Amino acid sequence: MARKKVAIEYIASDPTRKATARKRDMGIKKKAGELSVLCGVDTCYIMYREGGASPPEVYPSVPEAMRVIDRFRSMPELDQCKKKMDGEDYVRERIAKIQEQLRRAQRDNRQLETTLLLHDTLVGRRQGLAGVAIEQLVSLGWMAESYVKKVSDCIAYRNMQQQQHAGVQAEPPHYGATVADMEAPPHQQL
């Protein structure tokens, strides 16, 4: 039977709260043990019960937990905090990653729009370029120049091959990037 989603909020009922703490305590101990075995790291877990009357739950044992804590405390403060992350740091990191993904998606979209505009213009779906933004016109010009360069290189290479068959040796020209490898012109990149 599938579990229902549990709302993460304080449990008002004492028996339910204690049962949940006991079950979650066992689960966390299991995860700490698995993490230790799978990754070869030292783990410890200390949980103080509600009210503080009973001794804290310690995993794997009090001496082992003290060893791990002492080892952590003996590290320089810089090493202790090296990978420490609070909620604000986490949100900042996620925002930076999402902004980078957005920049890449915008660049890809601009390139696809320019390719579509060039294609529509070449096949006659557009009567002219009136109403096209200046940025798109610049991109369109850059892309058209890239295609013209590539075609020129192909023609030069073909001519060189014909000359080689006639007995003249020459170096092959450098081919430009393929359409898939092309990026937006430098002024359009963020």
Side-chain angles (χ1 to χ4, degrees):
M1 187 165 111
R3 289 189 219 169
K4 65 178 180 176
K5 185 146 177 99
V6 176
I8 304 298
E9 58 187 27
Y10 183 76
I11 301 170
S13 168
D14 275 352
T16 306
R17 185 174 57 252
K18 289 178 181 176
T20 301
R22 189 174 51 255
K23 289 177 189 173
R24 297 273 175 130
D25 177 42
M26 292 185 324
I28 291 176
K29 285 179 186 175
K30 181 180 176 188
K31 290 292 180 191
E34 290 172 356
L35 184 64
S36 180
V37 170
L38 292 173
C39 301
V41 295
D42 290 331
T43 60
C44 72
Y45 162 70
I46 302 170
M47 182 174 93
Y48 288 90
R49 296 272 179 211
E50 186 178 23
S54 61
E57 291 288 326
V58 180
Y59 174 84
S61 66
V62 173
E64 183 65 19
M66 289 305 296
R67 186 189 65 76
V68 172
I69 292 169
D70 288 341
R71 182 172 161 217
F72 177 75
R73 286 182 178 161
S74 69
M75 294 171 67
E77 191 172 331
L78 183 62
D79 289 341
Q80 288 180 18
C81 300
K82 185 167 43 177
K83 294 187 180 180
K84 193 184 229 182
M85 185 180 290
D86 63 7
E88 189 176 324
D89 293 335
Y90 174 76
V91 169
R92 213 177 282 123
E93 185 178 291
R94 289 293 301 151
I95 288 172
K97 284 181 183 178
I98 290 170
Q99 284 175 334
E100 179 57 32
Q101 289 174 347
L102 177 63
R103 277 191 288 273
R104 275 189 249 129
Q106 287 172 334
R107 184 192 68 215
D108 293 346
N109 284 343
R110 277 193 305 272
Q111 184 177 352
L112 290 172
E113 286 173 354
T114 303
T115 302
L116 182 63
L117 180 62
L118 179 62
H119 181 265
D120 286 350
T121 303
L122 291 175
V123 297
R125 287 190 198 138
R126 290 188 65 92
Q127 296 302 319
L129 296 175
V132 176
I134 190 73
E135 294 85 13
Q136 283 185 312
L137 289 173
V138 170
S139 256
L140 189 63
W142 175 84
M143 188 174 280
E145 286 175 13
S146 296
Y147 285 139
V148 168
K149 169 95 171 89
K150 185 168 176 69
V151 168
S152 297
D153 287 347
C154 288
I155 291 170
Y157 181 70
R158 186 76 173 145
N159 289 340
M160 182 198 62
Q161 282 183 329
Q162 289 175 351
Q163 288 175 357
Q164 284 179 346
H165 287 308
V168 178
Q169 290 288 345
E171 285 290 317
H174 173 70
Y175 282 101
T178 63
V179 176
D181 296 333
M182 290 184 199
E183 290 187 12
H187 68 279
Q188 286 197 352
Q189 292 179 355
L190 296 175

